[in-house]
Amino acid sequence: MNLLLHQYNIILEQLPKEAMYHLKNLEYSLRLENKDKYKEKIPYLIEKIKQVGVK
């Protein structure tokens, strides 16, 4: 997960508490990435984390 966040220039330590919900979902989706349903959610969750992180 850290590598993925790094690729999108998301710094974990700088994210607000509001982003934790999306981080937990991202972690879950990455664990179940072999299922299409979860693989499709990853880009969406990255965008949500970016949106919440920009304040």
Side-chain angles (χ1 to χ4, degrees), residues 1-3 5-6 9-20 23 49 52-54:
M1 183 168 80
N2 286 335
L3 181 59
L5 292 175
H6 180 71
N9 296 322
I10 299 172
I11 300 170
L12 189 61
E13 292 81 17
Q14 294 179 353
L15 289 176
K17 288 182 181 181
E18 295 84 17
M20 294 306 132
L23 278 173
I49 291 169
V52 173
V54 176

Side-chain angles (χ1 to χ4, degrees), residues 9 37 39 44-45 53:
N9 296 322
K37 173 180 157 183
K39 186 180 268 187
Y44 168 77
L45 291 168

Side-chain angles (χ1 to χ4, degrees), residues 14-49:
Q14 294 179 353
L15 289 176
K17 288 182 181 181
E18 295 84 17
M20 294 306 132
Y21 173 77
H22 301 298
L23 278 173
K24 289 168 88 176
N25 284 341
L26 177 62
E27 180 186 15
Y28 185 75
S29 294
L30 287 171
R31 278 193 270 140
L32 299 174
E33 188 176 11
N34 59 338
K35 298 180 181 174
D36 289 336
K37 173 180 157 183
Y38 295 100
K39 186 180 268 187
E40 294 171 0
K41 284 184 166 186
I42 293 171
Y44 168 77
L45 291 168
I46 291 290
E47 286 304 312
K48 290 300 283 183
I49 291 169

